[in-house]
Amino acid sequence: MSSTTTLQKAGDPSGNSGDTQPSDGLKAGLKNRHLSMIAIGGVIGAGLFVGSGGGIAKAGPAILISYLLVGAMVVFVMRMLGEMAAASPNSGSFSAYADRALGRWAGFSIGWLYWFFWVVVLAVEATAGAKILEGWIPAVPQWGWALIVMVVLTITNLGSVSSYGEFEFWFAGIKVVAIGAFVIVGMLAVFGVLPGSDNPGAGFAHLTDAGGFMPNGWGSILTGVLMVVFSFMGSEIVTLAAGESEDPRRAVTKATNSVIWRIGVFYLGSIFIVLTLLPWNDKSIVEKGSYVAALDSIGIAHAGQIMNVIVLTAVLSCLNSGMYTASRMAFSLGERGDAPKVFAKVNKRGVPTAAILGSVVFGFAAVYFNYTSPDTVFSFLLNSSGAIALFVWLVICLTQLRMRKILVREAPEKLTVKMWLFPYLTWATAAMITFVLAYMVYDKDNRETVMLSLLVAAVVLVIGVVRDMRRKAAARA
């Protein structure tokens, strides 16, 4: 099926987004509660728990501005994506929309880059989970734990889409409850009204009492942006999953409308609590991690182990979603003729078995290289996929600019979700993403990542353009 033929073919040929059997052969096995939790949990990655301490150390309390800027950027990108996904739910999401709006070369390129990003993430998350599990049960080596979690979640994804949804529902649920409890308990401790708290409760004083709100200057905000931007990747997963839900249009609309409070509570809210419980330059924030340090300051027993459980949950959630996302993108590419056709085949349960196994094989290979060649092959894989999140967001902006015109012309009644202040805010978001990429080139710590990512993107783009030219030549012959 080509997404370049009609708008209806990019989603539901009948125009009924609530059909229980998607037109592409996938089963509508995700319930509304699954989609709701995938949407909520999709913005809570392990990077929030693990990487926030480094950002606080660099920018101080001003890291809140970094989170606010990146959060706003993600909200705008999700609004654009929500506009397109609500009008035309599709398992290929932004890749299928780029296919139609910008050209086959664009859908091919961003689809494969996104797939590449997630298969590398599989190795990163499997290794992170294995480290925690080895600490608990050292009798099993780290590589053994990585193999176990990969196999278990592969079997889960092969079972049915509802199996993925159920696992993700509980994984995301644990993350949501944990962060919600942290914000509530932390806020009580901040004002000194938490019974038994070891933290004296300084109110908002810690936001300015150690060199001011911006102790390291304006430049630290930009450095903070680079440190936190990648922890937001995954918010777009709900638009891929919506194609296998009972009511795709409703699910996408709900997820898009709720992204503001999700980012506000889970990111800004929780980091705000850390910064008000402790001075930003407290050494424990970097040594123990921001959340463990905050919990220790309150006097929560076994804070480190509690956080390990939460981080492990976040890792398994990301791993589970990574397998799902990579396989659905491979499925969509196969369906459009941009990947082996076997990827577009589903079994009787509506599961794209070949697409899952093909993605997981590369994931296992990445895990292997992480243990055998961490400083060479795996380092290249990690760095060359590091900036792809920003490429994806930029393509979403450019696609939405063209897709809005197509929707207005062909199916204006499907514009149930609209980007705010179109086209000005779309262009402003694209400019901000471009600025972040340019700043990564300027920043010596991120230069290698963005340059290698650009190199891989250029190679894939050339392949996509050549394929498109050959396809057009064959059509004229």
Side-chain angles (χ1 to χ4, degrees):
M1 179 187 75
S2 172
S3 61
T4 61
T5 52
T6 65
L7 181 64
Q8 285 76 18
K9 279 193 176 183
D12 181 352
S14 67
N16 178 12
S17 66
D19 195 353
T20 57
Q21 178 60 48
S23 61
D24 49 19
L26 298 173
K27 295 284 187 181
L30 293 176
K31 301 182 184 298
N32 287 332
R33 65 181 178 88
H34 294 151
L35 263 293
S36 296
M37 199 56 76
I38 289 170
I40 295 172
V43 297
I44 310 173
L48 172 62
F49 302 107
V50 178
S52 55
I56 292 171
K58 286 286 186 180
I63 194 69
L64 287 170
I65 300 178
S66 303
Y67 274 104
L68 182 63
L69 290 172
V70 178
M73 188 167 68
V74 172
V75 167
F76 297 150
V77 169
M78 279 299 295
R79 186 73 184 185
M80 296 176 223
L81 187 54
E83 175 181 298
M84 297 182 286
S88 181
N90 189 284
S91 60
S93 188
F94 51 84
S95 173
Y97 309 140
D99 213 45
R100 174 166 172 74
L102 304 178
R104 294 292 299 275
W105 58 271
F108 172 91
S109 302
I110 203 63
W112 276 114
L113 286 172
Y114 191 68
W115 176 88
F116 173 58
F117 170 85
W118 279 110
V119 294
V120 175
V121 166
L122 294 183
V124 174
E125 301 298 336
T127 303
K131 287 180 179 178
I132 295 174
L133 290 166
E134 185 189 31
W136 293 342
I137 308 177
V140 179
Q142 192 179 120
W143 65 265
W145 280 120
L147 180 64
I148 290 170
V149 296
M150 285 281 285
V151 168
V152 169
L153 291 177
T154 299
I155 293 172
T156 299
N157 275 264
L158 286 171
S160 66
V161 68
S162 60
S163 298
Y164 156 72
E166 201 62 33
F167 267 71
E168 192 57 25
F169 176 82
W170 291 106
F171 285 152
I174 292 171
K175 291 189 292 183
V176 169
V177 170
I179 293 243
F182 176 80
V183 170
I184 293 171
V185 171
M187 187 59 74
L188 293 174
V190 165
F191 292 105
V193 294
L194 181 69
S197 173
D198 293 342
N199 193 300
F204 301 141
H206 288 322
L207 294 176
T208 56
D209 64 3
F213 183 76
M214 204 176 297
N216 297 324
W218 285 96
S220 64
I221 294 176
L222 293 177
T223 302
V225 165
L226 299 187
M227 297 186 73
V228 307
V229 67
F230 302 108
S231 64
F232 282 83
M233 191 64 173
S235 55
E236 70 290 332
I237 291 175
V238 68
T239 63
L240 281 81
E244 294 176 80
S245 70
E246 298 169 338
D247 190 348
R249 188 161 296 150
R250 178 178 177 273
V252 168
T253 302
K254 186 176 179 181
T256 302
N257 290 336
S258 65
V259 70
I260 297 176
W261 73 259
R262 287 186 277 130
I263 289 176
V265 172
F266 299 131
Y267 279 87
L268 289 171
S270 61
I271 297 300
F272 178 80
I273 292 300
V274 172
L275 289 166
T276 48
L277 283 174
L278 293 166
W280 69 271
N281 55 0
D282 190 303
K283 292 182 179 180
S284 65
I285 291 178
V286 174
E287 293 172 354
K288 298 179 180 179
S290 55
Y291 291 85
V292 174
L295 291 173
D296 276 345
S297 78
I298 297 172
I300 302 295
H302 310 296
Q305 287 303 320
I306 292 172
M307 193 52 58
N308 273 340
V309 172
I310 297 169
V311 171
L312 178 63
T313 302
V315 163
L316 294 177
S317 172
C318 189
L319 191 59
N320 191 38
S321 289
M323 287 186 183
Y324 174 83
T325 305
S327 65
R328 275 11 178 223
M329 186 57 73
F331 168 83
S332 179
L333 289 166
E335 196 180 29
R336 287 177 274 149
D338 289 331
K341 290 188 181 298
V342 68
F343 283 0
K345 294 183 178 180
V346 299
N347 60 23
K348 62 183 180 180
R349 298 185 302 278
V351 175
T353 306
I356 293 174
L357 293 177
S359 301
V360 169
V361 164
F362 279 90
F364 274 113
V367 171
Y368 171 78
F369 287 127
N370 193 11
Y371 287 106
T372 60
S373 312
D375 299 322
T376 52
V377 178
F378 187 73
S379 177
F380 171 79
L381 292 175
L382 196 60
N383 285 317
S384 61
S385 64
I388 287 176
L390 292 167
F391 299 162
V392 168
W393 295 343
L394 184 58
V395 168
I396 289 172
C397 294
L398 300 178
T399 300
Q400 192 261 340
L401 286 167
R402 296 286 301 275
M403 199 66 174
R404 167 68 75 90
K405 296 178 181 178
I406 296 173
L407 287 167
V408 169
R409 183 175 68 248
E410 297 185 3
E413 73 281 358
K414 292 190 174 184
L415 273 170
T416 55
V417 176
K418 290 186 178 181
M419 176 58 183
W420 307 296
L421 299 176
F422 177 84
Y424 309 108
L425 199 49
T426 300
W427 279 116
T429 306
M432 183 178 179
I433 296 169
T434 304
F435 174 79
V436 172
L437 285 168
Y439 191 74
M440 287 181 71
V441 175
Y442 169 79
D443 184 76
K444 59 182 178 62
D445 293 332
N446 289 278
R447 188 175 300 138
E448 182 181 10
T449 295
V450 72
M451 296 307 292
L452 284 176
S453 296
L454 284 169
L455 175 64
V456 170
V459 171
V460 176
L461 182 61
V462 168
I463 295 173
V465 170
V466 170
R467 283 175 56 88
D468 201 21
M469 291 173 61
R470 287 181 176 177
R471 188 181 291 113
K472 291 177 179 177
R476 289 193 299 266

